[in-house]
Structure formats: structure tokens, C-alpha cells
Amino acid sequence: MTEKTKKILKYTLLTFSALIGVLLLFTSSVYLGAWGKIPNDLAIKRLAKFTPSEVYDRNGKLITTFTQYNRKPISFKDIPPHVINALIATEDVRFLKHSGVDYKSLGRVLIKSILLSNDRAGGGSTLSQQIAKNLFNREDYGMLSIPVAKTKEMFTARRIEDLYTKDELLELYLNIVPFAGNTYGIESASQKFFNKSTGELTIAEAATLIGTLKATSYYNPEVHPKRSKKRRNVVLSQMKKYGFLEDELYECTVEEKFHLQFGLKDNKVGVAPHFLSKLERRLLDWCRLNSVNGRDYDLYASGLKVYTTIDLKMQQLAEEAAKEHMKVLQGQFEKEYAWGAPWRDQDPIFKSYVTALPKYISLRKKGLGHKDILDTLSRKRTMIISTYDKEQEVNYSTIDSLRHQLKQLNLGTLAINPSNGAINVWLGGLNYDSFKYDHMDGKRQVGSTFKPIVYAAALERGVDPCEYISGKEVIYENLDNWSPSNGNQSKHDSLQYSMTGALTNSLNAISVKILERTGIDRVVSLARALNINSELPKVPSIALGTAELTITEMAGAYAAFVNMGKPVEPYYLERIENAEGYMMQRFGPKEGKDKALRADTREAMVHMLKSVANYGTGSRLRYKYRLDNDIGGKTGTTQDNKDAWFVGVMPELVTVTWVGHDDHRIGFRSTRVGQGANAALPVTALLLQKMNKDTLFNKITKARFPQINERVIAKLDCPNSILEERKFGGFWSFLFKREKDTIEVERRDYIYDM
């Protein structure tokens, strides 16, 4: 051996020894926790159990469980042998022989990948390593992320093998790994792609699903059927190669026609999907901030028990009521748009939606012209669309689907206990699959539902509720000739109204006059005291509800009318317990607000709100829905019929409903259909009808307002309206009907805060 050869051998051995040393040092650092702790037995068992967190209503009834992704667990005894065989043959043929790490396969991968640069060598991960990968998230360590993750997963896999039998590991694996189509676990995938349980899968169907594990998007049978079929046949050949499939059966199966049988999309996500989505996000934040034994809680695996204020039965009734009403209202809405609808092909609004489609933008970038793109988007295919009450299979194009979506109205409904703000009903919208936006988060103009705040501010200032105000329209010259008029203005020109009469009829002209007497600053100040924190425009039109507020703000403010003058802050989370029932944190109502209203003001406002429900814009509650509950309320309709509102006030319940279109450019065609009394009030009315039939709700439905103080009764003891004294020698009568309108519109300047 020459001296040169000896030196080369020496340096090679030193280099190899150094690499081995670095590898051992790196492996030791991972094992000792320098790159983050390796999961211990407790953490593995806790996550492997996947005990979902449970959500309960205010009566202790289970609302739902929080499980990660689209997951449906299945036990080992229900998994057919050919599913297991397909898995082992394809993913880990030495599964029954190794103890978590297959060093033979790992060595093969290292040699082929590193020394021979073969990118088809495979990953070398055993099923146990893949379980570790799916149970514990990988962390980012830059260039070392993959080596660190793989090493940690090897150690974790060894621990997993010590904790579970091989059968238990197969069950765990098939329940947690992701399959195609955003499904998790073999049962969810089987239901999605073949509309059957795992136990009913044929060999070919099992091979199709197992084949997607290599790359769930690339081999998605719905999106890439040819590619998926080819991968299926690879799985079948692996089964044949390793003795799981006889030649004759293989030949028969590999020729089997590739066929998918989709089940209808599952939109039965349970009650209160918008609420549960909000709750889930909040609980995920809570879990990140709370730990046990040094590790974070896992919302989907730690078995937490979450208690809320939602009333499951009332929520279900509210959803039924909303769907019943919205189905009717949707028909009225579309019928009025017989021509000039914003979902016509030539309408600018519809065009703006079409050109904003990702597919449109993508085709545009490829150089296609507008007409060619429309032709592409107009190709029909079978799809499932959702309406308010059902799903149906249709032959629609992308354009048809967009048009269907653009037609849909939406709503938000909240019902709270006014004494503490506990939310009993949270309806953030309808058809969660298509409209995930939660309307509790949105702000819309509130229309006439803001008027009670103006009237309450006037009473607080000392304005006499029986001081009659003319219903005559006024043009305010210093406000660009702004003229807040009433519906059917000529009817009101010759009449004067008390506060009760003006609110009962929701008269705009008088509401502005009351605001003028009260002062905008005082109204805004009261709104703040009522816990309304959104921006409030300090302009006269605030009396007509031009402020954009949330549903929860309106509910909390109206609660003051029946809560001793105190507003509330709506809340929905009571407490969180761990899996053993130990109290982790109690939430409950926020600290009570100071009184915003005097007792006499509050009682007077209840009287006025009852008058609205009995005789005014809310009287459909009585004459159409035949409700005999003690209830007050206020309707609201915004400019151009864009937003419809109704707030119902009862001694033990306050409800708020908004109805409209998510696109602010689209409103109702007429006030007849779009007014709050027609578009929003029926949700509360139908809900109360259903609650009245159930004795479970007697405490709410049979509750009565307390007797009004005699002093307040005396202050309100006046007719709602009188005929304006003009040429009748002092003879006033609200029964007198004018034969001819001779009143001229008054013109003057608006007087700001006095």
C-alpha cells in the first residue's frame, strides 16, 4: 500500500468517523430535547385517544363535539382484511416485523436517495412514524427542519410501538391520516367517495383510497380519476407482489371499471354552525394559553367539557322559524325582480362578480377573451346546490351557480336573556356551507330600531311624552333641503302626535323633531351608556337609524328597557372543565353596567314599545301571528330597503333579527316586501309560536311586564294623535278625517343641540 493510498484511507476514515460523530451528536441532541421535547407516553396516549371536546347548552344537553377535520372513527373489527392488506403492501410491508423503525428500508432509502440520487426511493417511514407525524405537528428549524422532524418521529414511533399492539396501531393509523378530498380517516373517505361504510368497500375501492395516501391532492379520484386509477392498480400490484392477492383475483380486480359514488354533501353540521365556528376559534386560543403537564390542551383530543348559554331547543326552533320565513321571503324577493334583476347577465353587479371569479382571472391570464371565458364558464355539469331548506342535484354551469348564490338573502338572529346578557339563540346566517360569514360580526344601518334610543334620551332630558308634535314634513334648508318624510305623508300632515303615537307609527319627521329638542350629543351619550360602541354619526339623520351597528349591540341596548335601566353585554361561554370534570375556568356575564335610564323613562319606553306591537308597525304579531304574549318591539327599514330589522322585547327575552343581502348594492325592490315588519319580524313571530306550544318555555312565554307606576301612567295618559287645530274653533278630534290636503310643507333650518 503506497503512502498516498494510506493518506486517502486515513482521511476517508476520519471523514466517515466525523460524520458518524456528528450524526450521533445530532441524534443525541434530538433525544435529549435540544430541538424540543420528544412526546412522552402521557402525551401520546392523550392524543392517540382523540377524545373530542364536548359542547353543552345551558341545560346540560350536548350540542356537538369538536373533532379535528372531517373525521369519522371506526374500530379495527369493522375494517375488512383487504383494506389492511392494501395498506401494509403499499405503505409498510415489514410492519409486522419492525418495532417502529424499519432500519432495512431506511438504509435502502439513504443509499438510493443520497448515493444513487434516485428520487423514487420512497420515504422509508413506517406506519408508526407516520402516526407520529400526524399526531404531533412539525416545527420549523430552517434547513434542519426535515432531519429534526424525522429523527423525533423515529424516537416517537418506538414509544408508540411500546404502547400499542399492531392491531391497535392499524386502527389508529386508519382513523387519523388524511385521505383525498379533505377527509380524515378511512371511514370519512369511504363515505365521501363511495357512499358506503369501510366494511362495505370492495378490493378495488379499498385500493383506490389507500392509493391516495401517497399524495392526497395528486391522486384525488374526484379531480384526477385517470391518475387515481393508475395509482389504484399500483396498489393492487403491490398486494399481488406480497401475496395478499392471488393472480386470478388480481387480473379480475385490475380490470374493474373505475367508478365513484358520491354521497350528497353533508350540510347537516348540526345546530348553530356559525356560533360553533366562533366558539371553536375562541377555544383554540384558550387552549394555546392553557397547559397541563407542560403541554398545551388540544381542543380536538383533550376531552374538554364546554358549557355555553345556548338553549339547544330554542336554537332549533329559531332555525326552523328562520328557514320557514326565508323560503317565503326569498320567493317574494325574486318575484319583484322579474325584470332588472342584479343577477342578469348584463347587469353591472353580476358582471363584477363574474370577472372576479378565480377561474375567470386564471383564463384571462392565459390570453382568453371575455366571450371565450364565458363559454367555458357556461359549460354545465352535475352539482349540488343548497337552498334554505334542502339540497338538490342540478345541471348547472359556473355562471348558473354564481347566479344562484347572488340571489340569496341572508339574516342574523340573536336572542338573549335581558337580565344578564346570556345568549340563548345565535343564528349567524342560513346555509353555513354556502355562507360561512357570521352576521353577528357585521354592521348594518339599523333604521328605525334606533328611534327608541332617541325617544328615551328625550324623556331623560324632560321632554313631555304628551307634548304633541306636528306630523308635518319639514324641509331643512341648512341641510341641503333634506326632508325626512313619513310613509303616506299626506295622512300625517294635519295630525299632531304624542311620543307614543309617533313611535307606534314610526314617523320619521317627528323623530327628527324630537332629536332636535333633545340634542344629538345627548342621544349619542345615551347610546354610549347603553353599551353601543360603534361609530355614531353626529348628524340629524341619526334619528332615522343611519348608524351602522351590530346585532349584539342592539340586543344589549334594548335589554335596558326590561333590566332596570341597565344594558348588558351579550355573552355565550359559561365555563370550561377538563375531561375529569375539574373546573378550568369560569366565564359568565360581564360585570354589570351602570343604569343608563331612570325608572320612569324605562317604564314609559316599555309602554311605547308595547304600543308598537299592539297597534303600530309591529302589529302583525297580533293580527297575523295571533300572539298573546306580553311583548313590545320596534321594526326598522333602511333607505332603499337595503336592511330590514325587528327587535322584540319581552320580560325574559330580547330578540334581534336583521334580514338583507350581503351585497350592500342589492336591496329589496319595494318597501312592501323589504320593510322590517315583513322581512324581519316573522322570524321572531314564528319562533314565539313554536315556543308557545312547548311548556318548557313557559317562564319566558308567559312572563308579564310589571305594572307601570301610576305616576308614569298619568304622564302617558293622552291620545296617540289629535287633529291639528286650524279652522275648527278649537275642536280637536283624532277621529276627524280631512277631506282635502291644504297643508304646505314647512321650510326652516335645523337647530342643533340646544
Side-chain angles (χ1 to χ4, degrees):
M1 182 180 297
T2 64
E3 194 66 30
K4 183 177 180 181
T5 302
K6 288 181 179 180
K7 285 185 178 181
I8 292 174
L9 182 60
K10 178 182 178 181
Y11 284 122
T12 300
L13 289 173
L14 287 173
T15 301
F16 182 74
S17 298
L19 288 173
I20 294 296
V22 170
L23 182 60
L24 288 173
L25 183 62
F26 172 74
T27 304
S28 299
S29 69
V30 173
Y31 181 77
L32 294 173
W35 305 88
K37 291 183 179 180
I38 294 174
N40 58 25
D41 291 357
L42 177 63
I44 292 171
K45 287 181 177 180
R46 179 165 57 87
L47 288 180
K49 283 175 64 178
F50 275 93
T51 304
S53 293
E54 298 174 334
V55 180
Y56 295 92
D57 82 339
R58 71 188 186 99
N59 299 310
K61 294 180 180 178
L62 182 67
I63 299 177
T64 192
T65 56
F66 280 133
T67 56
Q68 195 170 27
Y69 308 112
N70 182 12
R71 192 189 302 278
K72 295 179 180 179
I74 186 172
S75 63
F76 182 78
K77 63 180 178 63
D78 295 322
I79 303 174
H82 53 264
V83 172
I84 302 295
N85 294 338
L87 176 64
I88 292 175
T90 309
E91 294 294 322
D92 189 359
V93 72
R94 291 169 50 81
F95 172 72
L96 298 176
K97 298 178 181 179
H98 63 67
S99 298
V101 180
D102 188 350
Y103 295 105
K104 181 178 179 180
S105 296
L106 185 61
R108 170 182 52 79
V109 170
L110 290 174
I111 293 172
K112 288 187 176 182
S113 298
I114 298 175
L115 299 182
L116 303 179
S117 300
N118 184 348
D119 59 1
R120 295 186 179 182
S125 292
T126 65
L127 293 182
S128 301
Q129 287 173 264
Q130 292 181 50
I131 289 173
K133 176 184 175 182
N134 281 278
L135 287 180
F136 302 96
N137 294 328
R138 289 179 170 179
E139 298 179 39
D140 185 8
Y141 295 106
M143 294 177 61
L144 293 175
S145 294
I146 296 300
V148 170
K150 289 284 188 181
T151 306
K152 289 176 72 173
E153 286 161 11
M154 289 170 63
F155 286 122
T156 305
R158 292 296 299 270
R159 292 183 177 179
I160 289 174
E161 290 268 352
D162 291 338
L163 292 170
Y164 299 100
T165 67
K166 290 293 185 178
D167 286 354
E168 289 172 337
L169 288 173
L170 289 168
E171 176 183 314
L172 180 59
Y173 181 94
L174 286 169
N175 274 315
I176 69 172
V177 295
F179 285 80
N182 195 33
T183 57
Y184 282 73
I186 186 75
E187 180 66 13
S188 295
S190 180
Q191 295 285 356
K192 178 179 178 67
F193 292 107
F194 298 108
N195 197 26
K196 62 176 65 172
S197 179
T198 304
E200 302 173 295
L201 289 173
T202 66
I203 295 175
E205 291 167 345
T208 298
L209 296 182
I210 295 299
T212 68
L213 293 173
K214 184 177 179 63
T216 55
S217 296
Y218 189 80
Y219 293 114
N220 187 324
E222 179 181 13
V223 182
H224 307 292
K226 291 182 179 179
R227 196 180 291 167
S228 181
K229 181 180 180 181
K230 185 176 180 181
R231 176 63 184 166
R232 177 199 75 175
N233 292 343
V234 169
V235 173
L236 293 173
S237 67
Q238 288 290 100
M239 295 176 70
K240 173 190 172 187
K241 177 181 177 180
Y242 292 109
F244 294 115
L245 209 57
E246 296 178 356
D247 291 353
E248 186 176 343
L249 184 56
Y250 166 77
E251 295 296 338
C252 177
T253 308
V254 82
E255 294 298 324
E256 189 173 310
K257 183 179 179 181
F258 188 81
H259 178 69
L260 301 176
Q261 179 63 49
F262 295 100
L264 284 179
K265 184 175 62 175
D266 181 15
N267 75 329
K268 297 178 180 178
V269 292
V271 298
H274 292 89
F275 163 72
L276 292 174
S277 177
K278 170 84 73 175
L279 178 64
E280 182 178 23
R281 293 194 297 272
R282 181 172 176 181
L283 292 175
L284 286 171
D285 289 338
W286 184 90
C287 287
R288 280 191 285 269
L289 297 173
N290 293 269
S291 61
V292 60
N293 295 326
R295 295 191 179 278
D296 289 346
Y297 276 111
D298 188 314
L299 177 62
Y300 309 110
S302 298
L304 298 175
K305 299 183 186 301
V306 182
Y307 293 87
T308 73
T309 64
I310 296 296
D311 187 305
L312 180 59
K313 180 64 173 178
M314 196 188 304
Q315 176 76 28
Q316 292 170 329
L317 295 180
E319 292 182 10
E320 291 174 10
K323 289 177 181 178
E324 288 174 20
H325 168 61
M326 292 300 287
K327 184 178 180 180
V328 174
L329 184 66
Q330 184 68 40
Q332 296 174 339
F333 175 69
E334 292 183 32
K335 184 177 181 180
E336 284 204 322
Y337 268 117
W339 57 271
W343 45 83
R344 291 178 304 118
D345 289 344
Q346 301 306 313
D347 189 272
I349 294 177
F350 186 69
K351 286 182 177 179
S352 70
Y353 276 92
V354 172
T355 55
L357 288 170
K359 184 67 173 177
Y360 184 98
I361 296 172
S362 173
L363 293 174
R364 195 69 167 175
K365 288 180 178 178
K366 292 180 180 179
L368 271 69
H370 179 72
K371 185 177 183 303
D372 291 333
I373 295 175
L374 288 183
D375 289 342
T376 300
L377 297 178
S378 297
R379 294 171 185 168
K380 297 184 182 296
R381 64 186 186 278
T382 300
M383 65 175 68
I384 295 170
I385 63 167
S386 299
T387 58
Y388 295 113
D389 59 343
K390 64 180 180 180
E391 286 185 336
Q392 60 185 107
E393 190 175 282
V394 294
N395 191 32
Y396 267 16
S397 66
T398 300
I399 295 293
D400 295 330
S401 177
L402 177 62
R403 183 176 291 110
H404 170 74
Q405 292 288 91
L406 191 57
K407 291 178 181 180
Q408 302 303 301
L409 295 169
N410 224 313
L411 93 165
T413 292
L414 193 76
I416 69 170
N417 180 335
S419 67
N420 58 13
I423 296 172
N424 297 150
V425 169
W426 179 305
L427 189 51
L430 290 175
N431 191 354
Y432 182 76
D433 277 338
S434 300
F435 300 98
K436 288 183 170 54
Y437 177 73
D438 191 339
H439 291 86
M440 296 303 155
D441 297 329
K443 295 182 179 182
R444 299 293 287 244
Q445 287 192 352
V446 294
S448 295
T449 56
F450 193 81
K451 288 176 181 175
I453 298 174
V454 176
Y455 283 56
L459 292 173
E460 287 286 299
R461 194 195 173 192
V463 175
D464 184 353
C466 280
E467 179 184 343
Y468 286 96
I469 302 174
S470 172
K472 188 186 305 182
E473 182 180 356
V474 175
I475 295 176
Y476 295 101
E477 295 181 335
N478 62 334
L479 297 176
D480 295 327
N481 290 325
W482 177 59
S483 178
S485 61
N486 310 303
N488 193 9
Q489 179 60 49
S490 61
K491 171 185 175 182
H492 307 290
D493 275 344
S494 64
L495 294 175
Q496 293 188 347
Y497 292 87
S498 66
M499 274 195 189
T500 301
L503 190 64
T504 299
N505 292 281
S506 196
L507 301 178
N508 291 338
I510 294 182
S511 296
V512 174
K513 293 173 184 177
I514 291 176
L515 174 73
E516 193 172 15
R517 296 188 182 194
T518 306
I520 294 175
D521 286 343
R522 290 184 179 87
V523 171
V524 171
S525 179
L526 177 59
R528 296 297 183 219
L530 290 171
N531 217 22
I532 292 176
N533 299 314
S534 295
E535 182 180 352
L536 295 171
K538 290 189 175 184
V539 293
S541 61
I542 191 177
L544 310 184
T546 52
E548 295 185 351
L549 308 179
T550 67
I551 293 172
T552 52
E553 283 179 310
M554 295 303 291
Y558 267 75
F561 296 133
V562 287
N563 185 38
M564 305 304 292
K566 295 180 180 180
V568 297
E569 185 171 338
Y571 76 100
Y572 55 82
L573 186 57
E574 289 282 10
R575 67 186 189 276
I576 298 175
E577 298 177 357
N578 65 12
E580 290 73 39
Y582 178 78
M583 176 77 68
M584 300 304 298
Q585 187 171 351
R586 185 178 291 278
F587 298 87
K590 297 290 181 67
E591 186 176 342
K593 302 285 288 187
D594 293 334
K595 279 190 177 183
L597 302 171
R598 297 193 307 263
D600 57 343
T601 298
R602 183 189 64 77
E603 291 183 343
M605 289 308 304
V606 169
H607 170 81
M608 294 182 197
L609 292 172
K610 289 174 66 177
S611 180
V612 172
N614 291 334
Y615 313 111
T617 58
S619 58
R620 293 189 192 201
L621 293 167
R622 304 301 190 198
Y623 74 79
K624 181 175 181 179
Y625 296 99
R626 303 298 180 185
L627 296 175
D628 61 0
N629 309 79
D630 223 4
I631 184 172
K634 187 68 192 78
T635 57
T637 313
T638 62
Q639 190 173 15
D640 296 327
N641 305 305
K642 296 293 178 64
D643 304 278
W645 290 79
F646 179 72
V647 182
V649 178
M650 301 171 67
E652 299 287 339
L653 192 71
V654 169
T655 65
V656 182
T657 293
W658 165 87
V659 174
H661 198 284
D662 285 336
D663 190 320
H664 288 244
R665 296 172 294 178
I666 301 174
F668 291 91
R669 199 66 183 258
S670 72
T671 303
R672 180 184 67 84
V673 173
Q675 63 180 299
N678 182 73
L681 176 149
V683 176
T684 293
L686 291 170
L687 171 60
L688 286 178
Q689 281 186 339
K690 296 174 186 295
M691 291 174 64
N692 286 343
K693 296 176 182 178
D694 193 331
T695 57
L696 182 67
F697 299 110
N698 280 355
K699 183 177 183 295
I700 295 173
T701 57
K702 295 186 179 301
R704 294 291 180 259
F705 290 112
Q707 182 65 41
I708 297 178
N709 186 287
E710 291 184 3
R711 179 170 52 83
V712 177
I713 292 176
K715 288 180 64 176
L716 296 170
D717 188 18
C718 55
N720 284 354
S721 63
I722 59 173
L723 185 64
E724 185 175 11
E725 183 181 20
R726 289 191 287 125
K727 53 183 179 180
F728 306 109
F731 176 70
W732 289 1
S733 171
F734 65 93
L735 297 176
F736 188 92
K737 295 183 179 180
R738 292 166 47 213
E739 295 181 357
K740 187 176 182 181
D741 183 8
T742 59
I743 308 284
E744 293 184 1
V745 177
E746 180 183 347
R747 303 181 69 89
R748 63 180 179 83
D749 286 348
Y750 180 87
I751 302 174
Y752 284 84
D753 287 12
M754 301 168 62

